[in-house]
Amino acid sequence: MDYPFYVNDFDRVRDHAAKYPLVRKIFEHPVAFWYGQRNGKPVKHLEKSLARLFRRTSPTLPIFVLYNLPNRDMGQYSKGGAGSTASYLEFIESFALGVGKLSPIVIFEPDALPHSTEMEPKDALWRYDLMRQALTILTERTNALVYVDIGHSNWLDPETAGKLLNTVSNPKVRGFSVNVSNFRTTAESVKWAERVSEYANCNHYVVDTSRNGNGPYGNEWCNPPGRAIGQAPTTDTGQALCDAYLWIKIPGESDGRKNNGPRAGRFWPVYAEQLVLNTSWMG
């Protein structure tokens, strides 16, 4: 697969770069744009916002993450999301209208499927139904390359992961994403994803390499120390089913308040600078 990656042509770290100049190096590479609600506030004017973004990025394309499912993150650090089925589907429809016939990469609902294994059965079934509806809208009304998130190699066994993907997927879903916002190595992630592909009908995949340069820090997932940025985004993966290595989690954004971090999703320049310093290929 080839992909016309968009690299930001605007300053995403204007408030930090003077004191932490190394953080600019992160944004010399394509990073994802996340969309979802926080604190119950709806995402307003999404279609118009996307139109403006596409005008700016053309002829290249951004990478999107949809992160707005009700009860997102099971009420943990990244809690939030739409308040109801209706508001969620309205969000998805607006996003689909904004994308139209373009073909951007869309990462669909990080952690939503793995978290369903921790839910009461009736709640999990409700989530699967809502995800199916959303994926139908996205794949019927857009040409987006949609990847449903399925967690990482230290969470689910490959058969369980593949069957969960089949529960919500449809024939137009391109594949699945692995290691989003986590630290498992690329080699481990690819090995696990290849096994998941044996069970999943949507068997192409992408790997988040944004912070896996030094691998995991035990099982710590919230701002672990000593981490490094992984391989730069590319579609040249050397694996037939692996469509791309991507920076889905933006390097430098906090996972939550643990380990002295700010709230989840807030850019943390001290941590970002350490990621760059620990990454030999970034100079």
Side-chain angles (χ1 to χ4, degrees), residues 1-5 63 103-107 144-148 172-178 186 189-190 193-194 197 202-209 231-248:
M1 187 184 87
D2 195 15
Y3 192 76
F5 288 111
I63 302 156
S103 299
I105 288 173
V106 176
I107 309 301
L145 303 170
V146 180
Y147 298 87
V148 181
K172 292 186 177 182
V173 171
R174 173 72 180 179
F176 57 95
S177 58
V178 304
T186 301
S189 296
V190 167
E194 290 287 323
S197 293
C202 53
N203 61 359
H204 286 250
Y205 62 92
V206 295
V207 180
D208 186 353
T209 60
Q231 184 168 342
T234 181
T235 58
D236 185 14
T237 67
Q239 301 287 332
L241 294 178
C242 184
D243 288 342
Y245 301 143
L246 305 173
W247 290 1
I248 299 171

Side-chain angles (χ1 to χ4, degrees), residues 92-111:
I92 294 294
E93 288 170 352
S94 295
F95 183 84
L97 283 170
V99 170
K101 298 304 179 183
L102 296 173
S103 299
I105 288 173
V106 176
I107 309 301
F108 183 73
E109 296 297 348
D111 295 343

Side-chain angles (χ1 to χ4, degrees), residues 24 37 177 232 266:
R24 287 191 185 276
Q37 294 177 221
S177 58
R266 176 160 294 186

Side-chain angles (χ1 to χ4, degrees), residues 162-184:
K163 289 180 176 178
L164 279 172
L165 287 164
N166 294 341
T167 298
V168 302
S169 188
N170 66 60
K172 292 186 177 182
V173 171
R174 173 72 180 179
F176 57 95
S177 58
V178 304
N179 201 47
V180 172
S181 300
N182 213 273
F183 303 87
R184 314 312 296 189

Side-chain angles (χ1 to χ4, degrees), residues 3-283:
Y3 192 76
F5 288 111
Y6 168 66
V7 179
N8 296 328
D9 61 355
F10 57 92
D11 192 348
R12 292 185 72 163
V13 288
R14 179 178 53 198
D15 296 335
H16 309 294
K19 187 175 180 180
Y20 304 94
L22 288 178
V23 302
R24 287 191 185 276
K25 289 181 175 289
I26 291 169
F27 297 97
E28 294 172 0
H29 304 272
V31 296
F33 291 79
W34 289 60
Y35 287 88
Q37 294 177 221
R38 180 178 291 278
N39 300 324
K41 297 179 180 178
V43 181
K44 295 182 178 180
H45 312 300
L46 181 54
E47 185 181 351
K48 292 181 179 179
S49 174
L50 289 170
R52 287 194 300 270
L53 180 60
F54 284 128
R55 284 195 297 270
R56 184 163 199 157
T57 68
S58 181
T60 59
L61 287 171
I63 302 156
F64 293 117
V65 184
L66 297 184
Y67 193 46
N68 200 37
L69 206 66
N71 195 24
R72 182 181 72 197
D73 201 32
M74 301 285 285
Q76 300 181 77
Y77 287 127
S78 296
K79 65 183 178 181
S84 67
T85 296
S87 62
Y88 181 70
L89 293 177
E90 182 180 351
F91 163 81
I92 294 294
E93 288 170 352
S94 295
F95 183 84
L97 283 170
V99 170
K101 298 304 179 183
L102 296 173
S103 299
I105 288 173
V106 176
I107 309 301
F108 183 73
E109 296 297 348
D111 295 343
L113 278 178
H115 274 153
S116 73
T117 64
E118 304 166 21
M119 292 176 153
E120 293 294 326
K122 64 180 180 62
D123 295 327
L125 289 173
W126 178 82
R127 171 166 286 193
Y128 300 150
D129 182 63
L130 185 55
M131 293 178 74
R132 277 193 297 268
Q133 291 182 64
L135 286 167
T136 297
I137 292 169
L138 289 172
T139 56
E140 291 294 331
R141 301 185 191 177
T142 80
N143 290 324
L145 303 170
V146 180
Y147 298 87
V148 181
D149 189 67
I150 195 58
H152 56 80
S153 51
N154 198 39
W155 196 339
L156 302 174
D157 68 85
E159 183 174 3
T160 298
K163 289 180 176 178
L164 279 172
L165 287 164
N166 294 341
T167 298
V168 302
S169 188
N170 66 60
K172 292 186 177 182
V173 171
R174 173 72 180 179
F176 57 95
S177 58
V178 304
N179 201 47
V180 172
S181 300
N182 213 273
F183 303 87
R184 314 312 296 189
T185 66
T186 301
E188 179 183 326
S189 296
V190 167
K191 183 178 180 180
W192 181 73
E194 290 287 323
R195 291 291 315 283
V196 175
S197 293
E198 296 174 11
Y199 300 97
N201 296 330
C202 53
N203 61 359
H204 286 250
Y205 62 92
V206 295
V207 180
D208 186 353
T209 60
S210 60
R211 303 180 301 174
N212 70 351
N214 283 344
Y217 185 78
N219 290 322
E220 180 60 82
W221 57 267
C222 189
N223 306 320
R227 299 310 88 202
I229 294 170
Q231 184 168 342
T234 181
T235 58
D236 185 14
T237 67
Q239 301 287 332
L241 294 178
C242 184
D243 288 342
Y245 301 143
L246 305 173
W247 290 1
I248 299 171
K249 173 72 174 183
I250 299 172
E253 286 195 354
S254 177
D255 298 309
R257 296 190 183 278
K258 195 173 180 183
N259 293 324
N260 299 314
R263 66 165 173 78
R266 176 160 294 186
F267 194 76
W268 186 11
V270 175
Y271 195 79
E273 186 175 64
Q274 285 302 309
L275 287 172
V276 174
L277 287 169
N278 293 341
T279 306
S280 58
W281 65 263
M282 295 193 87

